[in-house]
Amino acid sequence: MTAALLRLTVQVVLVASLWHGLYAGTGTTAGLSRDQAVTYAVLAVLASRLRELDQYTGRDTVIQHMHFGTIVYWYLRPLPPRRYYALRALGEQLYGFAWAAVGYAVCLAAGVVRPPASAAVATVFALSLLLGQWILYYVLLAIDQLCFFTLRNNAAMLILLFAQNLLSGVYAPLWFFPDWFVTLSGFLPFQATLSVPLSLYVGRIPLSGAVGALSLQAVWVVVLALFTRLVWRRAARQVISQGG
């Protein structure tokens, strides 16, 4: 817990310092003020903490279970694999939310991030963040489900995770990217996980556009839920022991 606290603190300090430095000689860039940019970047760091348990060290990742053959136990328990995976992810997110909530309170009190413009913005942001985390759950689930259909997929999973972070706006707000990049990301679910909630928070997406943004997130939730449910059924036919 001490290491997690130290890493989160260092990340927030470095990110805030970086964006303060980038805006040292300008007032507004890509339609974003310095306070908006810093708030977005710090909130992105805190939001990324929602799903950051080290499952690899505990040998609890899907790719490890497939490699060692222990994935078979997921199908021998009374609890279906799909429900077990969902409950495990829920526990992970609740633990991460505790860290993010404390970090947000500290950053807000220290003036590192600015508060929402109004109660309505805060409400819309909370709902959008919930939908975003729901979408992120399905995106990460789909990445894990890839392990059922490939034998050596470490590189593919790293590429997909990098794409998720890049296209969702974790590394930088999408407004700083070329127009073609922003247009392309609009056809993918990644930006709905983080960029949309944070855009609503900092005011990049006005309240008048909140209904459309939330509706798009809801559509992605339904589409990805149906897709991953279908893949779960096909994945059960692929379970074999490859080690252990």
Side-chain angles (χ1 to χ4, degrees):
M1 294 182 68
T2 303
L5 175 60
L6 179 61
R7 185 172 67 168
L8 184 61
T9 302
V10 170
Q11 284 180 316
V12 169
V13 171
L14 291 179
V15 165
S17 301
L18 170 65
W19 286 98
H20 273 102
L22 290 175
Y23 274 81
T26 182
T28 303
T29 301
L32 212 64
S33 67
R34 185 190 66 179
D35 290 340
Q36 286 177 307
V38 172
T39 297
Y40 181 102
V42 172
L43 289 180
V45 171
L46 295 176
S48 65
R49 190 64 185 82
L50 294 176
R51 292 297 302 271
E52 209 173 278
L53 281 182
D54 189 4
Q55 295 177 346
Y56 189 85
T57 301
R59 285 192 175 184
D60 198 29
T61 62
V62 176
I63 191 172
Q64 288 173 308
H65 283 303
M66 292 296 294
H67 177 73
F68 293 107
T70 51
I71 193 68
V72 69
Y73 295 115
W74 285 25
Y75 290 85
L76 296 178
R77 297 168 180 160
L79 191 67
R82 182 165 59 90
R83 187 176 304 171
Y84 167 73
Y85 188 95
L87 291 175
R88 187 182 69 165
L90 177 61
E92 180 180 348
Q93 287 184 304
L94 290 175
Y95 173 75
F97 177 78
W99 279 102
V102 173
Y104 173 75
V106 173
C107 291
L108 194 62
V112 178
V113 299
R114 68 177 193 176
S118 64
V121 172
T123 302
V124 170
F125 164 72
L127 179 58
S128 180
L129 182 63
L130 176 62
L131 290 172
Q133 290 301 306
W134 204 347
I135 296 171
L136 179 61
Y137 161 74
Y138 284 124
V139 169
L140 296 180
L141 170 58
I143 294 175
D144 280 338
Q145 287 176 329
L146 177 66
C147 300
F148 288 91
F149 303 95
T150 56
L151 298 180
R152 305 292 296 181
N153 57 357
N154 301 67
M157 293 187 68
L158 289 175
I159 292 173
L160 288 172
L161 289 174
F162 174 77
Q164 153 62 28
N165 290 330
L166 179 66
L167 296 174
S168 65
V170 171
Y171 298 134
L174 295 179
W175 319 301
F176 290 95
F177 291 91
D179 292 337
W180 65 266
F181 187 91
V182 177
T183 302
L184 175 63
S185 66
F187 293 97
L188 301 172
F190 303 117
Q191 68 170 339
T193 62
L194 184 65
S195 180
V196 171
L198 297 189
S199 297
L200 288 166
Y201 185 97
V202 302
R204 180 72 180 197
I205 298 179
L207 282 177
S208 58
V211 174
L214 294 175
S215 299
L216 181 60
Q217 286 182 295
V219 169
W220 275 119
V221 168
V222 174
V223 170
L224 291 173
L226 294 175
F227 173 75
T228 53
R229 187 181 183 89
L230 175 63
V231 177
W232 268 126
R233 295 177 181 176
R234 295 181 61 87
R237 307 171 189 172
Q238 304 294 124
V239 176
I240 57 175
S241 178
Q242 300 181 38

